[in-house]
Amino acid sequence: MATCSQCPVRESSICHSLSADALDRFGRAGRRQTLLAGQTLMWEGEDALLVGNVVDGILKLTASLSDGRDQMLGIAFPSDFIGRAFGTKTRHSVTAVTDAEVCTFRRSDFDDLARRHADVEHDLLKRTLGELDQMRKWMQVLGKMTATERVAVFLIEMAARLCPDVESETALIRFTLPIGRQDMGDLLGLTIETVSRQITNLRQRQIIGTPDRRSIVIYDRRALAACAGMG
Amino acid sequence: MATCSQCPVRESSICHSLSADALDRFGRAGRRQTLLAGQTLMWEGEDALLVGNVVDGILKLTASLSDGRDQMLGIAFPSDFIGRAFGTKTRHSVTAVTDAEVCTFRRSDFDDLARRHADVEHDLLKRTLGELDQMRKWMQVLGKMTATERVAVFLIEMAARLCPDVESETALIRFTLPIGRQDMGDLLGLTIETVSRQITNLRQRQIIGTPDRRSIVIYDRRALAACAGMG
DNA sequence: AGTTGTCATTGACTGGGATCAAAAACCAGA
DNA sequence: TCTGGTTTTTGATCCCAGTCAATGACAACT
């Protein structure tokens, strides 16, 4: 019933490689779902019953230690694929950080469909390989970088994902953070206080500006990149 | 020329799903290579020209920051797949830590073959998804855990991979570490000194024994698991 | 405007792991 | 058995980021 042809992520999600009739099959299996900010779609440790596409909004992937320490494992943007295909357990929770729209499949349905559509499997493979590369970069951040470096890397990463005209040398880079300080800390392996101090420090050095607490302006890209340890 | 039928990882590597004639095609494309301990097969940042299977020995995946800080990203055991399929850049180096035997393919050859053999692609996808899960677990380790917890997690992980009879409740667990203290530090985001101190501490508490510096005996699994923050 | 609750910032202090330095254990080859 | 080189252990000290605590900013209500 969801008219995939009008889906905002039709061309960028995992569905982009589907032919018209294959799209129809997926359309029948999929289900549009609206999530409120804070709502959790999948829980860590649960059976992996769902997978899906992010259609709109931002979600976070998190896992926690038995004593409550939280680690954020990633941020999912529109057209990203979420959930654990071909697996029985979901190893992390998926929670909406803004109001969000997702298109979910029963995992078993998706697995069957994907098996029958090599293009979808291939696309999923490429996405997964890309995510693995990404995750390895984060491993370097968490394993070896100082607090300043971590925050700088994060800001550069966010600019790249959120700022369309980041390529142009001259344009002023400005974006709205998808997550708050606490989540930034959980992602970067820092406390909220340390994140805050680092941002204050970057602002005092005129490298960035913070028009309001959710917005970042990058004044000096060179300096920020230097802080991130990228020469 | 490589007789795949006698390959030690024939049944466990990515090739296990190949039919006899498909195996022949892969066999022609593949090339057996021997590496000496310390030899590097692929360099971080290089074009991704090679992929392959580990046939024998242990390799490590590493990436370094511009100032030389090294992060180990993983350890590859026999039957593991190495290299970046369907990508242009190798984001990490692959280096033998023991003498090793690998079966390599030109990446473009492998990509073509894999595209034509859905089973291989599917297997690669499942491996990649598994690795991603694994990597997310390490992210938790690096982001949130104390030095003791990190070392304990590492030892438990190694026991699981290296000790065949780890399942049996009663058996004494003993194994040889595939890597030295420096590499352990690089994997766990700690210095060599801290790793050494943590191991000394675990030994003094009679939780483990170290018959020689490359060997570990686990006396008290319960206590070690507790140190790893697994209740 | 005032109240309440959430989130961010700032400050003072602490501690775990890094750093620096030296000794000890181990290994390989002569 | 000695010897030089590597790896690991141990010790002393330091510092970055964590912790604890208070304050400030802001949005959503009355």
Side-chain angles (χ1 to χ4, degrees):
Chain A
M1 53 125 248
T3 54
C4 290
S5 55
Q6 293 162 35
C7 177
V9 295
R10 166 80 179 96
E11 294 304 328
S12 50
S13 76
I14 201 168
C15 301
H16 79 94
S17 54
L18 292 168
S19 62
D21 63 330
L23 187 66
D24 187 57
R25 274 193 292 280
F26 274 76
R28 280 176 217 288
R31 170 163 167 262
R32 271 293 186 83
Q33 238 173 308
T34 301
L35 300 171
L36 299 175
Q39 207 176 337
T40 295
L41 181 62
M42 314 173 196
W43 297 93
E44 172 184 9
E46 231 177 23
D47 287 338
L49 299 174
L50 287 181
V51 297
N53 292 310
V54 180
V55 176
D56 189 37
I58 311 272
L59 298 96
K60 63 177 179 179
L61 321 187
T62 57
S64 24
L65 264 28
S66 51
D67 63 353
R69 282 171 288 176
D70 269 17
Q71 176 67 41
M72 191 183 297
L73 301 173
I75 304 179
F77 293 92
S79 88
D80 284 352
F81 183 83
I82 51 179
R84 177 59 158 93
F86 303 111
T88 55
K89 286 282 178 207
T90 300
R91 296 302 224 285
H92 52 266
S93 302
V94 178
T95 306
V97 294
T98 64
D99 289 350
E101 190 99 350
V102 294
C103 174
T104 57
F105 303 84
R106 283 173 47 203
R107 202 207 85 236
S108 53
D109 291 349
F110 178 85
D111 288 357
D112 291 346
L113 281 165
R115 276 305 256 161
R116 265 189 243 110
H117 294 271
D119 286 346
V120 171
E121 260 210 345
H122 183 68
D123 191 71
L124 183 56
L125 174 57
K126 284 205 294 188
R127 278 167 197 268
T128 308
L129 286 165
E131 251 189 283
L132 189 58
D133 282 346
Q134 189 70 20
M135 210 58 28
R136 284 172 169 153
K137 231 178 73 185
W138 283 117
M139 230 174 125
Q140 240 183 323
V141 172
L142 294 176
K144 286 277 135 51
M145 288 189 170
T146 64
T148 317
E149 289 172 323
R150 294 180 199 210
V151 170
V153 167
F154 172 78
L155 293 177
I156 290 169
E157 180 76 25
M158 284 302 108
R161 288 219 73 163
L162 296 172
C163 231
D165 51 350
V166 72
E167 297 303 333
S168 113
E169 272 296 327
T170 53
L172 191 69
I173 303 176
R174 183 193 166 125
F175 56 90
T176 301
L177 292 168
I179 56 176
R181 300 286 187 274
Q182 181 62 60
D183 282 338
M184 288 175 59
D186 286 342
L187 181 65
L188 299 173
L190 300 170
T191 58
I192 183 174
E193 293 95 331
T194 301
V195 171
S196 178
R197 275 187 256 266
Q198 296 305 329
I199 287 180
T200 300
N201 181 259
L202 288 171
R203 187 183 47 240
Q204 283 168 349
R205 291 162 64 193
Q206 318 262 335
I207 296 172
I208 62 168
T210 53
D212 65 85
R213 53 193 190 176
R214 277 297 180 112
S215 299
I216 297 285
V217 187
I218 299 178
Y219 294 132
D220 187 344
R221 278 194 247 193
R222 189 77 50 83
L224 189 60
C227 288
M230 294 156 162
Chain B
M1 51 123 243
T3 52
C4 291
S5 56
Q6 292 162 35
C7 177
V9 295
R10 165 82 178 94
E11 293 304 329
S12 49
S13 76
I14 202 168
C15 302
H16 79 94
S17 53
L18 292 168
S19 62
D21 63 329
L23 187 66
D24 185 58
R25 275 193 293 280
F26 273 76
R28 280 177 216 286
R31 172 165 166 259
R32 270 293 186 83
Q33 236 173 308
T34 300
L35 300 170
L36 299 175
Q39 207 176 337
T40 294
L41 181 62
M42 314 174 197
W43 296 93
E44 172 183 9
E46 230 178 23
D47 288 337
L49 299 175
L50 287 180
V51 297
N53 292 310
V54 180
V55 176
D56 191 35
I58 310 272
L59 319 199
K60 63 176 179 181
L61 321 186
T62 57
S64 26
L65 264 30
S66 50
D67 62 353
R69 282 171 287 177
D70 269 15
Q71 175 68 42
M72 191 183 298
L73 301 173
I75 305 179
F77 294 91
S79 87
D80 283 353
F81 183 83
I82 52 179
R84 177 60 157 94
F86 303 111
T88 55
K89 286 281 178 211
T90 299
R91 297 302 223 288
H92 53 267
S93 301
V94 178
T95 306
V97 294
T98 65
D99 289 350
E101 189 98 353
V102 294
C103 174
T104 57
F105 303 84
R106 282 174 46 205
R107 202 206 85 235
S108 53
D109 291 349
F110 178 86
D111 287 357
D112 291 346
L113 280 166
R115 276 304 257 162
R116 267 191 241 107
H117 294 271
D119 286 345
V120 171
E121 258 210 346
H122 184 68
D123 192 70
L124 183 57
L125 174 57
K126 284 205 293 187
R127 276 168 199 267
T128 308
L129 287 165
E131 250 189 283
L132 189 58
D133 282 346
Q134 189 69 21
M135 211 56 30
R136 285 173 168 153
K137 229 177 74 184
W138 282 118
M139 230 175 126
Q140 241 184 322
V141 171
L142 294 176
K144 286 277 135 55
M145 288 190 171
T146 64
T148 317
E149 288 172 324
R150 294 180 199 211
V151 171
V153 166
F154 172 78
L155 293 177
I156 290 170
E157 182 77 24
M158 284 304 107
R161 289 218 74 162
L162 296 171
C163 232
D165 52 349
V166 72
E167 296 304 334
S168 112
E169 272 297 325
T170 54
L172 191 68
I173 304 176
R174 184 194 166 122
F175 57 90
T176 301
L177 292 168
I179 57 176
R181 300 286 188 270
Q182 181 63 61
D183 282 339
M184 287 175 59
D186 286 342
L187 181 65
L188 300 173
L190 301 170
T191 58
I192 183 174
E193 294 95 329
T194 300
V195 171
S196 178
R197 275 187 255 267
Q198 295 305 328
I199 287 179
T200 300
N201 181 258
L202 288 171
R203 187 181 49 240
Q204 284 168 347
R205 291 162 64 193
Q206 319 263 334
I207 295 171
I208 63 168
T210 54
D212 66 84
R213 54 193 191 175
R214 276 297 179 111
S215 299
I216 296 285
V217 188
I218 300 178
Y219 295 133
D220 188 344
R221 278 193 247 193
R222 190 76 51 83
L224 189 60
C227 288
M230 295 156 159

